[in-house]
Amino acid sequence: IMRAGMLLIVIGIVLSLVLAWIAGDALSGTTQPATHYALYVMNADGNGQEILRDTPTYEMWGPAWSPDGQQIAISFVSSSGDNSELYLLHSDGQDPIQLTHNGRQNYLPAWSHDGKRIAFVSQHGKDTQTPEIYVIDVDGNNERRLTQNDAPDYGATWSPDDDRIAFGSKMDGDWQIYLMDAAGTNQHPLTVRAEGSAPTWSPDGQWLSLTSERDGNANIYTLSLDGQNQLNVTNDRTASSNSSWSPDGNKIAFWSERDGLPAIFVMDRDGTNATKLTNTPGLEALNPSWSPDGKQIAFHAAMHETGMPKILRENLGWIFVGVLGLIVFVFVVSRIRQKPKLRVLQNSSYG
């Protein structure tokens, strides 16, 4: 009986530790992998957050608002992740129109300011060495490749007059910002080297923002068009990327991991007054895009499951039953194996 009691005590301790770990995991808000990327929109102050479109058979990635505010360009990513086509949605998320039909991965759309063309990045499958800059008319015609350098290119942005496009490229070995004419000609780096990619042009045409890993992790920099006056405006030890200027040029939206999961932030153009806009627990939010009136921000996001791991939560009842059965089994076996003890009777009549 003593041995069985000790076993029960040990099993009880182990069970308590397991349950304590599960409870601690739930309370600590442990995150599980993101489930599904959808198109979200919110007010510029972070209020009014809602899902604009969620397509179960596709992931939604990298929205860009049209200059007239009537449409949003976005990538519909296949479940395999091998290809993504650009679509145009109405600003309420409805009436999708497929823009590209090339079977490649097409992403990071950027509207020309006259609303007639969209520049974007396109690559073959998951080959990260092949991204190039393309442009297409908004009716889906006249798709053409602008860069022919056999090196990765990432991110494109139009000048306010639509005469030039800035983009990131490794054509000279390392990431830096280049300019080219809207037709793809006259490609050249900035006068002062600007290490980085994914540039965005300021509304006044005097500045660029970009993402750079020059300090060991991704941060957002601003700089003048000749590459001078480079300033790290996020200056954080965690990743920050994909900047988007407000229409008045006074603020920059971006995503950052400074609070854990990627979230949308807005800061003044000099990097001050950074404010987190997406505060829903477990929400991973990326790639913000301002509406042309400055009242809303579109982004893509996915929910992470929080708390105890899903496999434990869904099978918690069976776990209790199994442990209880183990306790009963150990107890019964210990009783069966217990040796009977002989009781010696003393009779006073025997001498």
Side-chain angles (χ1 to χ4, degrees), residues 1-13 330-331 334:
I1 295 176
M2 289 294 293
R3 184 176 300 175
M6 289 300 295
L7 285 173
L8 289 175
I9 291 173
V10 171
I11 292 174
I13 293 174
V330 171
F331 179 76
S334 64

Side-chain angles (χ1 to χ4, degrees), residues 37-58:
Y37 286 107
L39 172 61
Y40 284 68
V41 69
M42 63 182 169
N43 298 332
D45 61 1
N47 292 319
Q49 178 183 304
E50 62 177 329
I51 297 177
L52 203 59
R53 187 176 185 87
D54 186 5
T55 304
T57 54
Y58 293 94

Side-chain angles (χ1 to χ4, degrees), residues 11 41 67 93 151 157 190 201 236 300 324:
I11 292 174
V41 69
T157 181
L190 304 184
W201 220 303
D236 196 75
H300 74 260
L324 182 60

Side-chain angles (χ1 to χ4, degrees), residues 11 220 224 230 248 251 282 317 326 329:
I11 292 174
I220 295 171
S224 52
Q230 297 186 29
D248 61 10
K251 294 184 179 296
L326 179 61
F329 174 78

Side-chain angles (χ1 to χ4, degrees), residues 171-224:
M171 68 174 74
D172 290 328
D174 297 311
W175 285 111
Q176 62 175 307
I177 304 303
Y178 290 77
L179 296 176
M180 62 180 168
D181 298 334
T185 57
N186 191 28
Q187 297 179 18
H188 62 277
L190 304 184
T191 303
V192 176
R193 175 184 171 84
E195 179 182 334
S197 63
T200 54
W201 220 303
S202 66
D204 63 8
Q206 302 302 308
W207 299 86
L208 292 172
S209 60
L210 58 86
T211 301
S212 176
E213 297 183 1
R214 68 186 70 176
D215 295 325
N217 60 284
N219 269 297
I220 295 171
Y221 288 73
T222 58
L223 61 154
S224 52

Side-chain angles (χ1 to χ4, degrees), residues 1 3-4 7 328-341:
I1 295 176
R3 184 176 300 175
L7 285 173
V328 172
F329 174 78
V330 171
F331 179 76
V332 171
V333 170
S334 64
R335 292 298 299 270
I336 292 174
R337 296 182 61 185
Q338 183 178 355
K339 295 180 180 180
K341 296 182 180 179

